[in-house]
Amino acid sequence: MTARIIDGKAFAGRVRAQVAEHVERLKRDHGLTPGLAVVLVGEDPASEVYVRNKGRQTVEAGMASFEHKLPADTSEADLLALVRRLNADPAVHGILVQLPLPKHLDAELVINAIDPAKDVDGFHISNVGLLATGQKGMVPCTPLGCLMMLRDLHGSLSGMNAVVVGRSNIVGKPMAQLLLGDSCTVTIAHSRTRDLAAVCRGADILVAAVGRPEMIHGDWVRPGATVIDVGINRVERDGAARLVGDVHFASAAAVAGAITPVPGGVGPMTIACLLANTLTAACRAQGLTEPKGLTA
Ligand code: GUN
């Protein structure tokens, strides 16, 4: 058996096209242009690449992009003042503070200073609580992208056994909440889980988000299972730099029913969902009905 390869790049392209269509309609019928502000502190090269891609895709979707690049030695007071200004700016519907922040800045404090209605990352403590209680809020982009792909593949997820490997606040925990919201039986496994291989073999849906290159092998995968690989790990192979996931792709693809590749799987969905969240936030801010299929 060979798994169906889930084309995240194509899926993300369709999500972005849907977002762009809604943006066009909002401009035409309501004179509303959704706006996303991205704040980058310091010069982390990976973050600069992300921020550039976010800005470009925001503009391509027809939305307004506001980039704020601050020096690495920016004070907490100055960063908080910028967040407050963006909170008060009616042209800004989404605010994203790029992580990681330089060490002298308290990321939790800064994230929780963002207006929860503009928190398109879904990291604010209010949004975490809303997700946990099944209320409407902003949902973290990467898990939302995974959920969209799973719904597209399976329709209903009700009653399926889902195992999430990894317990981060950004992916593992919100992913588990979303799967629970779709009536899966959810296990959160992690580095201390006893007999992790056996736990993984119980999964109809296996989500890998641990940040350990190729940790999950094919013999951990139940035949026919859906494998979602959130990992993006830079490794050196035969003298060349390569990106690999948390799943050993070749062995897992021989067993799984469907699997996301790395790159080209979950990765492209994250920015697509950021655009979707910005659109959703803009609609809610104006009291307009939010688009279907782009939210949890
Ligand atoms: N750094 C890497 N990924 C992300 C993300 O999704 N949001 C934020 N704010 N920072 C990140």
Side-chain angles (χ1 to χ4, degrees), residues 11 23 41 85 95 104 113 118 127 137 144 151 170 173 179 225 227 254 279 286 293-294:
F11 199 110
V23 169
V41 186
R85 243 194 308 132
I95 302 170
H104 68 284
K118 297 189 178 187
N127 283 317
L144 177 59
R151 283 176 176 170
I170 294 179
K173 285 180 204 166
L179 291 164
V227 178
L279 170 68
Q286 299 295 311
L294 296 174

Side-chain angles (χ1 to χ4, degrees), residues 13-90:
R14 290 195 294 276
V15 171
R16 288 198 305 269
Q18 264 177 279
V19 170
E21 227 173 87
H22 285 290
V23 169
E24 191 56 40
R25 185 180 48 80
L26 285 178
K27 285 182 179 172
R28 191 184 58 227
D29 297 347
H30 302 278
L32 171 64
T33 303
L36 171 64
V38 174
V39 180
L40 174 62
V41 186
E43 273 138 34
D44 178 58
S47 291
E48 298 216 4
V49 174
Y50 285 137
V51 167
R52 206 172 324 125
N53 286 335
K54 283 171 194 167
R56 181 174 50 78
Q57 294 186 29
T58 303
V59 171
E60 281 172 6
M63 306 200 275
S65 170
F66 309 99
E67 268 181 36
H68 295 268
K69 292 195 176 184
L70 307 179
D73 62 356
T74 298
S75 71
E76 202 160 82
D78 284 351
L79 181 55
L80 289 171
L82 172 59
V83 168
R84 273 187 229 108
R85 243 194 308 132
L86 297 171
N87 283 344
D89 186 342

Side-chain angles (χ1 to χ4, degrees), residues 146-257:
C146 296
L147 184 74
M148 283 182 189
M149 292 195 288
L150 287 166
R151 283 176 176 170
D152 182 68
L153 194 66
H154 291 286
S156 169
L157 310 181
S158 181
M160 295 177 86
N161 285 328
V163 174
V164 179
V165 189
R167 51 175 154 174
S168 72
N169 291 332
I170 294 179
V171 181
K173 285 180 204 166
M175 186 77 252
Q177 297 286 7
L178 288 171
L179 291 164
L180 194 57
D182 270 27
S183 303
C184 291
T185 302
V186 181
T187 303
I188 305 179
H190 45 79
S191 57
R192 305 288 179 88
T193 295
R194 239 178 271 156
D195 203 349
L196 183 55
V199 172
C200 289
R201 276 193 290 269
D204 303 310
I205 294 169
L206 180 59
V207 181
V210 265
R212 299 261 303 271
E214 300 177 322
M215 186 181 83
I216 293 171
H217 269 257
D219 59 354
W220 295 24
V221 176
R222 163 185 288 206
T226 298
V227 178
I228 305 290
D229 189 353
V230 183
I232 300 178
N233 307 290
R234 260 163 252 276
V235 296
E236 203 175 290
R237 216 36 72 76
D238 309 322
R242 272 193 54 204
L243 281 187
V244 300
D246 293 346
V247 176
H248 185 270
F249 184 80
S251 63
V255 183

